[in-house]
Amino acid sequence: MGSKNQTLGEFIIENQDSFKYTSGELSRLINSIRLAAKVVNHEVNKAGLVDIVGAVGDKNIQGEEQQKLDIYANDKFIQTLSNRNIVCGIASEEEDSFITINSQDENNQNKYVVLIDPLDGSSNIDVNVSVGTIFSIYRRVTPVGTPVKLEDFLQKGSEQVAAGYVVYGTSTMLVYTTGDGVNGFTLNPAIGTFYLSHPNMVFPEDGTIYSVNEGNYIDFPLGIKKYIKYCQEEEDDRPYTSRYIGSLVSDFHRNMIKGGIYMYPKGSRNPNGKLRLLYECNPMAFLAEQANGTSSDGYTRTLDVTPTELHQRVPFICGSKNMVAKVEEFMLKFGE
Ligand code: P6P
């Protein structure tokens, strides 16, 4: 593991032996994400000052209003990932289909695919609330040197080789895992360097924070309704508190540090839940499990779900393991 205030670059070099594939490949992957994070951070931090905020008038495949920063972040991550000659394909929340990246060398030895939510929580941009980038990394399953295929992206979350997020908050942090624990790096904007500020991040097994949009309460499965009432009951002085930012990365980050649970159940407006399996739920679930937390849809471990389409949605319950277990207990007992 790293030492406090080690730079991200030093940390990657020191720990690349723990990455089960060729060390240089991981470094180039994480470094390209580091660069894109700094570029996007610069724009996010001045969003209120220039005419880059506000809807562009288009909608993405999710039917969601695309904010200018959504497009900007999407373009920057695709550009930096493409330029590093390490990735053979990219899927993004902002792109209808996956993008094939043709390597500069003709036989295209690139082995990795990356799935991203380039700017999660973008509805918060105009009101100056934290937003984030989420990324998920796999090795391709089709032959190296051939064009990437959809099956390279439709892999179970348990097959991820790396995952992480950038949270553009009161400070900008890059938090990621390569399957050997979770480490958080804080950006010093004055010099553009990420420093190891949160080594070996771990979810407390118990927590007192539950994060859910209670405006959807009436549509929740009975098991979720029962859990929320369990948190709110007066008896034996339950210490729970509700905190919901409306930005998955921010709610997840706070819950990992303080202990808590994030829930986006299914409902009438979102019969399969709202969050996307491949580039929101799976990377956050990988991080959660690497930080001693858990993640499921209320019944099935998130990382065990077999994907069927690029933008599919799943119900998402993620955080402190004993809180997730309690929700699953209620889902088993009361169900839908
Ligand atoms: P709602 C942002 O769009 C997002 O994907 C997550 O970051 C966030 O937790 C959730 O959706 C908010 O959704 O329906 O509560 O506004």
Side-chain angles (χ1 to χ4, degrees), residues 64 93 117 119-124 130 132 134 212-216 244-251 262-264 269-270 274-276 280 313:
E64 293 168 343
E93 177 184 278
D117 181 355
L119 208 62
D120 178 70
S122 53
S123 58
N124 287 317
S130 299
I134 307 172
V212 66
N213 182 343
E214 296 191 54
N216 301 324
Y244 191 68
I245 297 171
S247 180
L248 167 61
V249 169
S250 302
D251 281 316
Y262 174 98
M263 300 181 283
Y264 210 105
R269 279 181 290 176
N270 298 292
K274 175 186 179 186
L275 300 189
R276 276 62 60 148
E280 290 177 321
R313 302 170 192 262

Side-chain angles (χ1 to χ4, degrees), residues 5-15 30-31 33-35 174 176 183-186 193-196:
N5 295 327
Q6 188 176 31
T7 69
L8 174 56
E10 291 162 349
F11 179 86
I12 291 173
I13 290 166
E14 185 177 285
N15 291 280
I30 301 295
N31 279 326
I33 289 168
R34 170 176 64 173
L35 172 62
L174 171 61
Y176 80 95
N183 291 282
F185 300 81
T186 299
T193 302
F194 281 99
Y195 288 92
L196 179 60

